[in-house]
Amino acid sequence: MAQSTTPADAGHCPAHQPSTIHRLPRQAVLSVIILCLVAVDPVAAQQNAVCSADNLPSMIEGFFQLTTALGIVGLVVVWQAESLLEMFTLDHERKKGLKRHKRSAMKSAVILVVLGPLYTVAGSMMGLPLAQCVNLVPW
């Protein structure tokens, strides 16, 4: 005859006890938070480290202008190549896919062009240190 076990007979379930394995992640997270609060305080006290560097603001501006120009050139290449493919494609589903890709490429280029001026204006209004010494307008 088989004996049935009830929860009282089953003994103590170790999954319901807080063990050191479960406490370790909580202690680690708490330690990281405290360390971040203590370590970030001296960094926050620094005054505009990016602006005080010699060539860093001009390098950031140049990099942003270069990536924006490459993005616009990439848009033109993709647009022309897909327009050419569209002329020689007979399948309507393929044409819809090409038009969809052209629209997404156009959205990406618009975001790329608008992102710099938006950051420059919004960053200066919010008092961000990078926006005060770096001009991210690509033109």
Side-chain angles (χ1 to χ4, degrees):
M1 183 176 259
Q3 288 183 341
S4 65
T5 58
T6 61
D9 294 324
H12 212 26
C13 181
H16 295 292
Q17 279 186 350
S19 65
T20 57
I21 295 173
H22 296 301
R23 282 186 291 200
L24 186 62
R26 277 189 250 146
Q27 289 175 348
V29 168
L30 184 62
S31 299
V32 168
I33 290 173
I34 291 172
L35 180 65
C36 286
L37 289 175
V38 172
V40 170
D41 191 31
V43 174
Q46 293 178 357
Q47 293 292 331
N48 243 346
V50 173
C51 295
S52 63
D54 289 335
N55 294 329
L56 192 57
S58 62
M59 286 175 56
I60 293 172
E61 288 175 7
F63 177 76
F64 190 78
Q65 289 173 353
L66 178 69
T67 54
T68 303
L70 288 176
I72 292 172
V73 168
L75 168 72
V76 170
V77 168
V78 166
W79 192 274
Q80 291 300 319
E82 289 188 352
S83 293
L84 183 66
L85 280 173
E86 218 175 324
M87 282 192 272
F88 295 110
T89 302
L90 298 176
D91 186 22
H92 291 294
E93 291 298 319
R94 179 75 177 149
K95 282 186 179 184
K96 287 181 184 178
L98 288 171
K99 286 185 180 186
R100 198 174 325 122
H101 190 259
K102 282 171 55 175
R103 276 194 306 269
S104 69
M106 179 61 92
K107 287 178 189 175
S108 297
V110 167
I111 289 170
L112 185 65
V113 170
V114 169
L115 192 63
L118 182 68
Y119 178 79
T120 301
V121 171
S124 64
M125 288 173 58
M126 293 170 29
L128 298 176
L130 185 64
Q132 295 178 8
C133 65
V134 176
N135 184 12
L136 295 179
V137 178
W139 51 85

